[in-house]
Amino acid sequence: ASSAAIGSIANARVLLQRGLRVNPTAKDLWLQYFSLEFHYIQKLRGRREILQLGLNKKGLAETAADEDDVESSVQIPVIIYKNAIK
């Protein structure tokens, strides 16, 4: 992902987390935070699929690293959901 896209996701996370610290019972904030992370994972998965098409052009180590990024990111919405229903 480009540095601008990473910066945008990081900035969005910071804003949502600040809002949730101030108002931890705001259902709309929890929903938007979950949605942000879910859509980000979908974007990562799409990127992984595109990169796998070009597997012949890059090494297996790079592909494995990309898969690790996606798999570790999948846990974020689950954690958000568990915190939202507390």
Side-chain angles (χ1 to χ4, degrees):
S2 70
S3 61
I6 292 170
S8 296
I9 190 77
N11 290 339
R13 283 179 180 137
V14 167
L15 288 173
L16 286 167
Q17 290 169 356
R18 282 184 188 166
L20 287 166
R21 271 188 234 115
V22 172
N23 192 356
T25 60
K27 292 178 184 178
D28 288 339
L29 283 176
W30 283 110
L31 180 61
Q32 290 305 313
Y33 190 24
F34 179 84
S35 179
L36 171 78
E37 295 297 346
F38 182 78
H39 289 290
Y40 184 65
I41 290 168
Q42 291 300 103
K43 181 179 176 179
L44 290 177
R45 284 184 174 167
R47 180 176 176 259
R48 180 178 64 178
E49 288 175 17
I50 291 169
L51 290 175
Q52 284 178 345
L53 292 175
L55 183 60
N56 295 335
K57 297 177 185 174
K58 65 187 229 181
L60 292 175
E62 289 181 53
T63 303
D66 290 340
E67 289 177 7
D68 288 345
D69 288 345
V70 173
E71 295 309 316
S72 63
S73 296
V74 169
Q75 295 304 314
I76 295 172
V78 174
I79 294 166
I80 293 168
Y81 174 75
K82 288 179 180 180
N83 284 317
I85 61 171
K86 283 185 182 178

